Structures are given as structure tokens and as C-alpha cells.
Amino acid sequence: MTDEGLSPPRRVARVVLLDPEDRILLLHGHEPDDREDDWWFTPGGGLEGRETRREAALRELAEETGITQVVLGPLLWRRTCSFPFAGRRWVQDEWYFLARTAQTGTAATALTELERRSVAGARWWTCEELGRAHETVYPTRLAGLLRRLLDEGPPGQPEILDTEIV
């Protein structure tokens, strides 16, 4: 966590996890004290200690979903984002890794206290469902990014996404 302008952005690793049917796994989050203020997002979180982004991606995925049987692929996207959450402003430097799994059952195994108060579950989405969704999804262009990923494969170099400030 950081206040904008006071510290470097929080370093975050996120996972674009696809199953054998090319569905993407998203977590359903909400403000800790307001379940109506909700959104969907990819698994992931901040780096701990000296771990790499790849190590953080796998650890966060296991903690938030219980999924450990994954093949972690290339870095797809990078973005900077800033948003209010749990009474603070968060500024993050997020890296999104592609991963594949056949393990589709989920069970959050090691959520933090804040995550227990703000994560309501997980769902596998088809690209078409995501494109039709009326819910808030982060990053906001995820449906189009996923469609391009499925159509063209991973980019040769990580794509820098537009900064999102909520």
C-alpha cells in the first residue's frame, strides 16, 4: 500500500489464468464494508521479500485460488493503476503473466485478513461472457485483451497498458 506521490508504486504480479477451454479465472472483490461496491479482477498481489514477480504470481495464485498445477507462461502486459480501497489510495505497478491449468476447482487457502473481508469468490469466464459483462472488471479492457490473446497468442514483448486511475 502506498499513498500517491509518497512512495514508489507497490510491485504486483497478476495471473491471466486460462483453463483448457480458454476460460479466464477472475476473483470477485468488493469494498470490505460495502458488498455493493464490487468488481472482478485477476488473481495476484504484492511481492514479498526478495521474491521475483514470477514467484509472487505463483504464490498469490495458490493463496487466492488453491490452484497450484499451472504452467506459468510469458509476461503479457504491464500497467500502472491507482485506486481507492479499504480507506486508502493504492498505487501499483502490475505485471500480468499468462498461465494455463487443467485444475479448475478453486479454494482460497491463505487469504489475508483484508482479503477475507473483501473477496467473495471466483468464477471462470469465457471471452464472450466477459465481453457481454455489465460488471466492473479490471483491467477495464480485459475482454478485448483476452480476445486478442486468444486470437493472436502472447505478444512478442509485454504490452504497456494505459494507466488506470479510479
Side-chain angles (χ1 to χ4, degrees), residues 20-119:
E21 298 174 26
D22 286 335
R23 296 180 304 169
I24 186 172
L25 182 67
L26 297 179
L27 302 180
H28 189 205
H30 57 83
E31 273 292 329
D33 299 320
D34 183 2
R35 288 183 157 275
E36 300 300 311
D37 185 2
D38 68 329
W39 56 87
W40 293 88
F41 63 102
T42 58
L47 278 64
E48 293 181 356
R50 300 177 71 97
E51 72 185 346
T52 67
R53 300 254 188 173
R54 294 179 73 79
E55 291 166 341
L58 292 171
R59 176 186 51 75
E60 286 283 341
L61 185 64
E63 290 174 358
E64 294 176 347
T65 70
I67 295 175
T68 57
Q69 299 168 14
V70 300
V71 175
L72 191 62
L75 176 61
L76 299 171
W77 315 309
R78 290 184 60 184
R79 81 165 181 158
T80 300
C81 61
S82 175
F83 54 92
F85 175 67
R88 299 185 72 148
R89 172 136 309 258
W90 298 63
V91 179
Q92 299 189 155
D93 173 25
E94 298 183 335
W95 292 22
Y96 289 79
F97 292 92
L98 175 62
R100 292 270 184 185
T101 188
Q103 182 184 347
T104 57
T106 62
T109 59
L111 296 180
T112 66
E113 186 273 333
L114 180 57
E115 288 169 332
R116 282 191 298 277
R117 293 176 35 225
S118 62
V119 177

